[in-house]
Amino acid sequence: MPRPSKSVNSLRGHRTKSEIEIRKQAENNLKTGEKMREFKEVKSDKVAHKEFLRVQKLMSSNDKDDDLYSAVINRYCMLHSECRAFEKL
């Protein structure tokens, strides 16, 4: 199974300006244009909320802070919180 392609921001090596522009347009077409939102379950859980803020900061630095990823990131934060609670037991 091949690796997914890298984003334009993380490309290394020689690329022409036209190739970079085409990749940027293709990436922008996949975005919804809405910011990633935090679910109420995550917001009410202290550990999950802290993890969401951390991940959101990382995603925004890579220009991936899009609502398309909200469900996955929120689920990850809830699982992270549950694992921390289980470790305390």
Side-chain angles (χ1 to χ4, degrees):
M1 184 173 186
R3 290 184 304 156
S5 62
K6 293 183 178 180
S7 66
V8 173
N9 297 337
S10 61
L11 283 176
R12 302 268 190 245
H14 175 72
R15 302 280 188 265
T16 64
K17 290 180 182 179
S18 62
E19 286 176 328
I20 293 172
E21 187 61 34
I22 291 170
R23 296 275 299 259
K24 281 184 182 178
Q25 286 176 352
E27 285 181 18
N28 287 335
N29 287 341
L30 293 175
K31 294 182 181 178
T32 62
E34 296 180 22
K35 288 281 189 185
M36 189 166 46
R37 57 190 164 83
E38 185 175 15
F39 293 170
K40 63 181 179 181
E41 298 87 12
V42 174
K43 195 175 282 189
S44 64
D45 187 338
K46 188 176 180 180
V47 175
H49 176 68
K50 185 177 178 182
E51 184 66 12
F52 181 85
L53 294 177
R54 185 187 75 81
V55 172
Q56 186 179 33
K57 183 179 176 185
L58 291 172
M59 298 281 284
S60 64
S61 69
N62 285 337
D63 199 29
K64 298 286 185 185
D65 185 21
D66 194 64
D67 197 36
L68 185 65
Y69 303 107
S70 287
V72 175
I73 299 301
N74 280 287
R75 178 62 58 203
Y76 163 74
C77 293
M78 290 302 296
L79 288 171
H80 177 77
S81 176
E82 289 174 14
C83 287
R84 293 288 177 233
F86 186 73
E87 287 172 358
K88 287 181 182 178
L89 292 176

